[in-house]
């Protein structure tokens, strides 16, 4: 989370906003939303800026495209206003939808970054699991939902889509590409199945305790423990993810 505030003297007013942000972040932590280990929180001075400061930062990330810049861009470019003067976020959205189209190098770098984690399928089309603690696991976030999030973000920027939610972006991108509705519906269905499976894994007490205690990753699913229907749906969802990545390769890595 971050803050955008107006001020004629940001350095004078920032401490007050940072104190407010710290109270909110601490309250969220007590409610069960852990503090961000990467410090991507409004209580971090780098995430508590005026509109002009945010615009300067966004412009820097897009112009330079260093690995750290791409990481920050992938986080902040999904921004949405949740409280307060929501109109303060509008210039940032406008910059993204307008400037990204003028920077094909930046778009290619986003694609390259998104393709670092592939859908976990082997050459035979079977789920490519990792043996871990007697289980056969994949990471449902890194190797699953994140693929759809990255694709939706990239193509959303490329086609000036204003939506920030992954489902809305996928639907809008499908229309922008003039695809048959069934294709974008399959993207949405695969993404939402993976999200649901993640939640099931995290809510299952036994799986949560085993994963958290031994592996430190609540997004791991034991593929061998899934029922036949869930395993088939998981494989098909990953096939759709792979096809999306192949589309991205054709569009941005030729």
């Amino acid at each position: 989370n971050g803050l955008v505030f107006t001020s004629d003297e940001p350095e004078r007013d920032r401490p007050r906003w940072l104190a407010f942000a710290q109270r909110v972040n601490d309250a969220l932590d007590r409610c069960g939303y852990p503090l961000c280990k990467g410090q991507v929180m409004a209580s971090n001075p780098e995430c508590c800026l005026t509109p002009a400061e945010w615009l300067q930062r966004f412009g820097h990330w897009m112009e330079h495209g260093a690995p750290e810049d791409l990481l920050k861009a992938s986080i902040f470019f999904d921004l949405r206003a949740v409280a307060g003067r929501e109109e303060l976020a509008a210039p940032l959205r406008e910059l993204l939808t307008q400037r990204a189209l003028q920077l094909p190098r930046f778009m290619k770098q986003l694609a390259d970054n998104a393709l670092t984690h592939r859908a976990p399928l082997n050459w035979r089309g079977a789920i490519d699991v990792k043996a871990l603690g007697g289980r056969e696991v994949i990471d449902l976030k890194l190797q699953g939902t994140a693929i759809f999030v990255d694709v939706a973000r990239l193509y959303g920027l490329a086609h000036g889509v204003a939506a920030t939610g992954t489902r809305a972006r996928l639907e809008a991108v499908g229309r922008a590409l003039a695809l048959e509705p069934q294709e974008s519906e399959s993207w949405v269905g695969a993404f939402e199945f993976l999200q649901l499976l993640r939640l099931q894994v995290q809510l299952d007490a036994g799986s949560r305790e085993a994963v958290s205690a031994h592996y430190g990753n609540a997004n791991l699913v034991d593929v061998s423990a899934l029922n036949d229907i869930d395993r088939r749906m998981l494989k098909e969802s990953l096939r759709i993810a792979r096809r999306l990545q192949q589309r991205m390769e054709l569009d941005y890595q030729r």
Side-chain angles (χ1 to χ4, degrees):
N1 52 69
L3 264 175
V4 53
F5 65 95
T6 56
S7 172
D8 295 330
E9 295 185 45
E11 297 308 320
R12 177 198 64 196
D13 295 332
R14 201 182 326 273
R16 179 167 59 91
W17 289 109
L18 288 171
F20 164 70
Q22 189 66 60
R23 293 196 300 272
V24 174
N25 289 157
D26 289 342
L28 288 170
D29 183 53
R30 291 194 297 272
C31 289
Y33 293 89
L35 297 174
C36 177
K37 294 180 181 179
Q39 295 300 307
V40 183
M41 299 179 289
S43 53
N44 177 354
E46 292 187 1
C47 303
C48 182
L49 306 171
T50 65
E53 291 171 329
W54 276 116
L55 287 170
Q56 183 178 16
R57 291 198 79 194
F58 276 31
H60 174 83
W61 295 336
M62 297 172 79
E63 292 287 349
H64 289 75
E68 184 179 354
D69 296 330
L70 292 172
L71 174 61
K72 291 177 179 177
S74 68
I75 296 172
F76 286 99
F77 284 10
D78 289 339
L79 73 93
R80 63 186 185 276
V82 295
R85 293 176 55 191
E86 298 185 8
E87 69 274 12
L88 294 180
L92 303 180
R93 296 292 333 156
E94 292 172 5
L95 173 69
L96 296 177
T97 56
Q98 296 174 8
R99 189 73 181 114
L101 296 175
Q102 303 169 3
L103 295 170
R105 177 188 58 81
F106 174 71
M107 300 297 286
K108 182 182 184 305
Q109 287 177 311
L110 279 182
D112 292 343
N113 192 56
L115 289 167
T116 54
H117 298 289
R118 300 284 180 157
L121 296 171
N122 61 27
W123 65 275
R124 294 182 292 108
I127 300 175
D128 192 11
V129 299
K130 177 181 179 181
L132 191 62
R135 293 173 170 81
E136 297 179 347
V137 303
I138 65 168
D139 189 318
L140 288 170
K141 180 178 180 180
L142 193 64
Q143 299 173 290
T145 57
I147 293 174
F148 291 89
V149 172
D150 288 339
V151 168
R153 180 188 301 117
L154 176 66
Y155 282 95
L157 286 173
H159 293 277
V161 173
T164 56
T166 298
R167 176 180 182 138
R169 279 177 169 169
L170 291 173
E171 292 172 339
V173 167
R175 292 190 294 270
L177 295 174
L179 302 176
E180 291 295 327
Q182 296 91 328
E183 184 164 357
S184 59
E185 287 170 4
S186 73
W187 302 345
V188 172
F191 170 68
E192 293 191 339
F193 171 77
L194 292 171
Q195 285 281 61
L196 179 60
L197 190 58
R198 280 182 65 198
L199 289 173
Q200 290 174 340
V201 169
Q202 293 171 2
L203 289 172
D204 181 82
S207 296
R208 184 173 65 248
E209 291 173 3
V211 170
S212 299
H214 298 291
Y215 314 125
N217 186 344
N219 294 300
L220 298 180
V221 62
D222 184 358
V223 176
S224 62
L226 295 176
N227 63 50
D228 186 56
I229 293 177
D230 282 346
R231 194 179 302 114
R232 290 185 182 187
M233 291 184 67
L234 174 60
K235 183 187 293 186
E236 184 57 33
S237 297
L238 295 175
R239 285 176 178 170
I240 292 171
R242 181 169 65 179
R243 288 200 295 270
L244 281 172
Q245 289 188 315
Q246 290 169 341
R247 175 187 287 271
M248 191 186 298
E249 285 181 307
L250 288 173
D251 288 343
Y252 292 98
Q253 291 195 326
R254 287 184 297 179

